[in-house]
Each structure stands twice: as structure tokens, then as C-alpha cells.
Amino acid sequence: MKSHRIALLFNANKIFDREVIAGVAAYLSSTRAAWDLFLEEDFRLRLPGIERWQGDGIIADFDDPAVAEALTRSRIPVVAVGGSYENQTAYPDDVPYVATDNFKLIKMARDHLIEAGLRHFAMFSLPEAQENRWAQEREHAFRTLMGQDKMEPHIYRGLGTSAPSWDEAVEQQIQWLHSLPKPVGIIAVTDARARQLMQACIMAGIAVPEQVALIGIDNDPLARMLTRIPLSSVIQGAQEMGRTAAHLLDQMLHGVRMSGTRVLVPPVGINVLASTQHEAPKHPHVMRARHFIRQYACQGIKTHQVAEYVGISRSSLESYFRQELNCSVHDVILRFKLDAATSMLARGERSIAEVALCCGFTSVQYMHAVFKRELGCTPRTYQDRAMLGIVDDGSALPPPELAA
């Protein structure tokens, strides 16, 4: 069987690109295609002269204008991967193109915020630039959706990410956040952008999700680990894009003409976490307390520390929680710790001892007792069931929409 030399021109530092690459790998593992893959951490260093590369095919990220330009002169089969465009002339000529559906990404995010009970919406985007064309397409989708409902599209691009401008960028983000009507649902064009805005909210004391419900795009595990409040995110169909691109290239290698083919791949769904579990509280003390708990529950905080942060007595805070949530402050803290623990166990990336430590339980034995009491099983049993997809949360604690 002949082996083909295939170059994958993607930035492996980005979650979207890595997922596309994973999709290519999934296609190869499910077929008899014999490919020798060439992948570099920073392929842009090799762009000059790429058209003279003595390989058999290329799958490339055409969201990068430098890549699109370099490959216009390629003599070997090329499959493009990138964002969708409303203007059909924006697609490359004579190159098969597999696109993430930008309109559906934004519509899914906005529909989720509407279902969460929000009535005001905004978008946090990126500065206008050729390399950010996909972000501007997402802006256009947002404007279209808002226009259909005769609503004002609040869009803020802010500054690019750089160390020298970080303080100024955060100050401007906080000013923009304060200018928005509340409560507001904000769609960030990526999880990385959402994480930046989350930091601005925390620094400004703006409660997430009571005042600002925030959703990103990419479902990036790193962004989730770097935010104090778990971030909701739209899951792109990037792996399906990779599989589709590999299939198209495989056909081209066997003589099938694919020039001009366009495939639009919709999003997979939404990973709904605390940042969009919006429920407007009746009392500002409860909102402020939950904002604090959401950030620090897994650091082992106690009820008296929450009361000190809010600025009222412990007994008064407990009274407000009983009136509004029908549970104690301790119950809400424990619910957050339990949710964090079940999430970590389901991913199977850490030992039970590590999970107990990360989630603020004083010992493995205490976490074991909490699991038995609230979920009716041990942490190990929960993890085993989660791996099999048969988890049943029988918790007697307040449900996540209350504890969130």
C-alpha cells in the first residue's frame, strides 16, 4: 500500500487546531489510509517556499491569511479548514473548504442565554484584523440575530492580548462592563476572550452569572482550569471538521475532483457550567455571597468568611439564605465542592486524593462520607459509573441552579 506524505498546517497551541488534528487522526484510525503526517509547533516558520514542498497533500488552517496566500501556488492537493463566511466570495477559489458554522455558533450561544432568562445581550470580540476575520464574522452573526429582534447589538472589541497593555485592557473592559444594562448575557468569541472578561468581572466585583452571564466558544479545558468560576462554552464540531477534511483529501489523492466543495459543520452543543446558570436573586446579600462562594468554595472557606466578605453577621446571612434558597450557606459551599469533585472524577485525570485536596475537602475520608451521604456511593464508584456514562446524581443538596 502506497504511503502519502501529508502536511498539517495548524497551530497546535490552539484548542480548535488541536481538535481538527484529532479529527484527522480519527479518520486515519478508521480507514486504511496510509499517511505520513508532517506537523510542526509553528508551521509559519516554514511557509516561505511551502508551494515547492515535495509531499502529496496538505490540510491547512485558512483562517490565517498568510497560509491562504502561500498555498494559492501549491501544485499538490490542498484542503482548507476555517470559519464560514456570509459573503461567498470570501472563500478561496478552487480549494475544497471545511468550515465551522459561525452563525450557528453564535445563535446557539445566544439561544442558551435567552433560555437562562436574560433579556440584554452583548459580545466581546477581537480587534479588527485580517487574522481575526472569523471573529468579525461572528460579530456579523450577532448583529443579524439582534437586528431580527430589533435589539441593540452591544459589541466591544477591546485591545489585543499583550503584557504591556494588560492593565489598560482590563480597565477598558471594566468600563465597558459597567456601561451595559444588567443583568446581561455576554458571548465571547473564544474561551480565551471569555476568560479575560471573567477576570475583569471579578476585579470589578461584578457578580457572575447574576449580573453578567458569560459564555465562550471552544470548550477549552485550559480556560476552565484558569477561571475561578467554571466557564460555559459552545463546543465546536472541530473533530468532525478534521475527519471531513481528511476524507476530502483522501478522495483527491485517488483522483476525485473536489475543487469548490464546501462543507459547513455545525456546533456539537454547549458545556453548561456556572458562568451562565443565571437566576436573579431577590436579595443583594445572597448574590454577593454566592459570587464569593463560587470563586473560593474549593479553597475550604467557611460560613463566617462568607459573611465577613458580604459585610453582615453570620446569622443574618443564614437567614437570607433560608428565605431565598431554603438551605444554609454551608449547603451551598458543599454543593460547589461536590460539583467540582464529581466533574474532576468524571474526567478521570486525577487520583481521588488529589480531587479531595483540589476541591477543599479536609480529607479523603471526609469526601468519602459526603459522597455516601449525598450521592449514595463512594468517589471510586462514582468515577467508575461516570466512565460508563451511568451516573445518577441523587443528591439531597440544593440543585446546581440554586447553588450556582
Side-chain angles (χ1 to χ4, degrees):
M1 179 182 297
K2 180 183 177 182
S3 177
H4 291 100
R5 303 172 74 219
I6 307 300
L8 304 181
L9 303 188
F10 292 90
N11 184 348
N13 293 317
K14 296 180 179 179
I15 181 64
F16 173 79
D17 292 44
R18 291 199 301 273
E19 289 290 293
V20 172
I21 294 169
V24 172
Y27 175 81
L28 295 179
S29 67
S30 66
T31 66
R32 294 188 176 184
W35 291 4
D36 293 323
L37 298 177
F38 292 79
L39 175 66
E40 298 190 51
E41 290 184 2
D42 192 350
F43 66 87
R44 287 164 294 188
L45 297 175
R46 301 289 184 266
L47 279 182
I50 189 68
E51 70 277 4
R52 298 189 298 275
W53 181 61
Q54 299 298 308
D56 299 298
I58 297 173
I59 301 175
D61 176 11
F62 267 52
D63 276 338
D64 188 328
V67 174
E69 172 63 25
L71 294 179
T72 55
R73 299 176 296 277
S74 176
R75 297 179 181 179
I76 61 176
V78 174
V79 176
V81 174
S84 63
Y85 296 97
E86 186 191 42
N87 183 352
Q88 298 300 303
T89 64
Y91 290 100
D93 294 330
D94 301 325
V95 176
Y97 193 100
V98 182
T100 185
D101 193 326
N102 281 319
F103 185 86
K104 286 187 177 178
L105 287 174
I106 300 305
K107 186 177 188 302
M108 182 173 283
R110 184 170 176 271
D111 287 349
H112 171 65
L113 294 174
I114 291 172
E115 291 168 3
L118 279 305
R119 293 295 177 266
H120 301 289
F121 307 96
M123 170 170 276
F124 185 38
S125 186
L126 283 163
E128 187 172 8
Q130 273 295 318
E131 59 270 23
N132 295 336
R133 293 173 300 170
W134 54 271
Q136 272 81 70
E137 285 295 317
R138 293 176 187 181
E139 288 181 27
H140 180 76
F142 182 69
R143 286 193 184 93
T144 299
L145 290 166
M146 295 295 284
Q148 290 173 357
D149 292 338
K150 296 180 171 56
M151 300 177 71
E152 181 183 356
H154 300 281
I155 298 176
Y156 179 64
R157 291 174 174 170
L159 301 176
T161 303
S162 68
S165 65
W166 190 84
D167 289 336
E168 182 184 358
V170 172
E171 289 176 7
Q172 291 184 13
Q173 290 169 25
I174 290 173
Q175 290 176 11
W176 178 65
L177 288 165
H178 282 311
S179 74
L180 296 172
K182 306 293 189 306
V184 61
I186 300 179
I187 303 169
V189 292
T190 64
D191 283 350
R193 214 62 172 154
R195 186 181 67 81
Q196 293 174 33
L197 205 61
M198 178 85 76
Q199 290 177 322
C201 286
I202 290 172
M203 291 176 66
I206 298 172
V208 177
E210 290 88 355
Q211 293 176 293
V212 170
L214 183 58
I215 184 169
I217 296 173
D218 282 333
N219 196 35
D220 186 350
L222 184 60
R224 289 200 301 275
M225 287 190 290
L226 294 176
T227 53
R228 294 182 193 170
I229 300 170
L231 177 66
S232 295
S233 184
V234 181
I235 307 168
Q236 297 198 63
Q239 288 203 21
E240 179 61 28
M241 293 173 68
R243 283 190 290 268
T244 302
H247 174 66
L248 292 177
L249 182 58
D250 198 17
Q251 291 184 296
M252 294 171 73
L253 293 172
H254 290 86
V256 180
R257 291 183 58 83
M258 289 290 171
S259 60
T261 300
R262 291 176 194 154
V263 181
L264 214 56
V265 179
V268 173
I270 296 178
N271 185 11
V272 180
L273 296 174
S275 71
T276 58
Q277 290 173 348
H278 172 77
E279 182 185 346
K282 298 173 183 176
H283 201 286
H285 289 330
V286 176
M287 179 179 71
R288 185 167 170 79
R290 285 177 15 174
H291 180 59
F292 182 74
I293 292 170
R294 197 173 291 115
Q295 296 179 65
Y296 299 108
C298 291
Q299 295 186 21
I301 57 171
K302 306 297 182 184
T303 299
H304 72 86
Q305 293 171 297
V306 182
E308 289 172 3
Y309 174 80
V310 175
I312 60 175
S313 69
R314 174 173 176 167
S315 59
S316 296
L317 186 62
E318 289 284 12
S319 177
Y320 288 129
F321 266 64
R322 289 292 180 188
Q323 292 171 21
E324 186 162 331
L325 303 179
N326 195 32
C327 66
S328 69
V329 177
H330 174 74
D331 287 338
V332 176
I333 295 172
L334 190 59
R335 179 76 230 189
F336 268 98
K337 291 162 67 172
L338 192 60
D339 284 349
T342 54
S343 178
M344 284 188 183
L345 289 171
R347 292 197 296 271
E349 298 168 353
R350 303 192 181 195
S351 69
I352 290 175
E354 288 174 325
V355 170
L357 179 64
C358 289
C359 296
F361 291 97
T362 52
S363 66
V364 174
Q365 291 75 17
Y366 177 51
M367 186 172 79
H368 188 284
V370 170
F371 266 69
K372 287 289 288 183
R373 183 181 74 239
E374 306 299 341
L375 302 181
C377 65
T378 66
R380 176 66 65 195
T381 300
Y382 183 92
Q383 187 174 53
D384 292 342
R385 291 175 180 174
M387 294 300 179
L388 295 173
I390 55 174
V391 166
D392 177 22
D393 185 351
S395 173
L397 288 168
E401 63 268 18
L402 288 182

